[in-house]
């Protein structure tokens, strides 16, 4: 799968808005999204910790307002970060959330215990799918919507070229398999977006900007795929086992291809 985010390994310029939000707190860059988004840890030793996401203006692929909405909705039922502040100015947009217990499943501790971590990710995903109420969810992450957004994102070149490109995507994908089970999906259920407790149990989900209704395999296929990148081959089965499901090769192949093209 494509790598979308990484821990910054060099100097990071702190945006003015984030510096202002931090006040007297230390500002530590902790994550860089390859689309341009940054996440900072704000906190003084022994004090409360906040996390601030920031994205430059004119980055339509990242909508922090949409994420704030989804966090507020999902937080009524499952453990996710609490939204403290959301805003924007001419330079960019930001979202500040409270810290939640746990560490990302890409923490060195869990990279060293991939079987335990992958199973916990599966259990956390099952909890999300079983708990969030489908009938009350106002958000959509269906195949049709994702393809529509992919088409809207083809903003370069002539309109005719855009139509050709989208037609190629649709032809390559073919018809989606019948929905196995409609759930409220995470929308980016990769390994870094699950937090685990010290004992290896699920703690919380983060980065819910694409949360919405879809077949559960839209999440499962990508979550299991992500274990290969973050832990190495052979741990996807632990994730499926933790979730409590047997692999569905047809749906796995379809939703991984959809992830790549849309």
């Amino acid at each position: 799968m494509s790598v979308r985010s990484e821990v910054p390994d060099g100097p990071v310029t702190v945006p003015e808005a984030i510096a202002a939000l931090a006040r007297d707190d230390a500002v530590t860059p902790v994550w860089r999204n390859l689309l341009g988004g940054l996440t900072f840890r704000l906190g003084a030793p022994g004090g409360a910790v906040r996390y601030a996401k920031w994205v430059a203006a004119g980055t339509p692929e990242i909508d922090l307002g949409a994420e704030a909405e989804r966090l507020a909705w999902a937080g009524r039922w499952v453990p996710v970060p609490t939204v403290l502040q959301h805003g924007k100015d001419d330079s960019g947009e930001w979202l500040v959330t409270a810290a939640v217990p746990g560490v990302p499943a890409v923490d060195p501790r869990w990279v060293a215990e991939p079987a335990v971590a992958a199973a916990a990710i599966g259990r956390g995903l099952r909890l999300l799918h079983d708990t969030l109420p489908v009938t009350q969810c106002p958000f959509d992450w269906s195949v049709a919507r994702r393809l529509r957004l992919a088409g809207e994102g083809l903003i370069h070149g002539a309109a005719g070229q855009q139509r050709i490109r989208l037609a190629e995507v649709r032809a390559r994908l073919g018809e989606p398999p019948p929905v196995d089970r409609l759930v409220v999906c995470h929308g980016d259920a990769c390994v870094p977006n699950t937090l685990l407790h010290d004992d290896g149990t699920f703690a919380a989900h983060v980065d819910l900007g694409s949360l919405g209704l879809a077949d559960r395999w839209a999440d499962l296929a990508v979550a299991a795929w992500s274990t290969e990148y973050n832990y190495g081959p052979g741990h996807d089965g632990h994730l499926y086992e933790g979730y409590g499901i047997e692999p569905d090769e047809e749906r796995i192949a379809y939703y991984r291809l959809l992830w790549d093209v849309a």
Side-chain angles (χ1 to χ4, degrees), residues 31-223:
W31 206 245
R32 184 199 308 272
N33 185 295
L34 297 189
L35 293 173
L38 293 166
T39 301
F40 299 89
R41 183 183 185 275
L42 312 180
V49 172
R50 298 170 290 153
Y51 286 89
K53 287 187 173 183
W54 183 87
V55 62
T59 309
E61 298 91 345
I62 302 176
D63 185 346
L64 295 182
E67 181 171 0
E69 273 190 279
R70 285 160 171 79
L71 285 171
W73 182 82
R76 296 157 62 187
W77 295 283
V78 295
V80 300
T82 299
V83 176
L84 300 177
Q85 187 175 355
H86 167 251
K88 63 175 65 177
D89 58 22
D90 290 342
S91 65
E93 184 178 15
W94 57 88
L95 173 64
V96 183
T97 59
V100 292
V103 297
V106 288
D107 186 86
R109 158 78 185 280
W110 298 118
V111 172
E113 296 187 64
V116 174
I121 293 167
R123 287 190 290 271
L125 197 55
R126 184 62 181 255
L127 173 69
L128 185 86
H129 290 170
D130 285 352
T131 304
L132 292 179
V134 168
T135 57
Q136 297 181 47
C137 181
F139 310 112
D140 181 18
W141 198 51
S142 64
V143 173
R145 181 175 186 274
R146 292 171 69 182
L147 287 175
R148 184 172 68 251
L149 291 176
E152 292 170 358
L154 298 173
I155 58 176
H156 301 293
Q161 292 174 324
Q162 294 173 33
R163 286 194 294 270
I164 291 170
R165 168 65 177 143
L166 188 56
E168 290 173 350
V169 167
R170 291 182 184 277
R172 186 178 173 196
L173 278 168
E175 289 298 316
V179 172
D180 171 45
R181 179 185 167 200
L182 184 68
V183 301
V184 181
C185 278
H186 181 293
D188 190 3
C190 58
V191 168
N193 291 338
T194 297
L195 304 187
L196 304 181
H197 291 299
D198 288 343
D199 62 359
T201 56
F202 166 76
H205 290 290
V206 300
D207 287 350
L208 299 176
S210 296
L211 177 142
L213 293 171
D215 188 348
R216 60 181 173 179
W217 284 99
D219 266 351
L220 278 163
V222 172

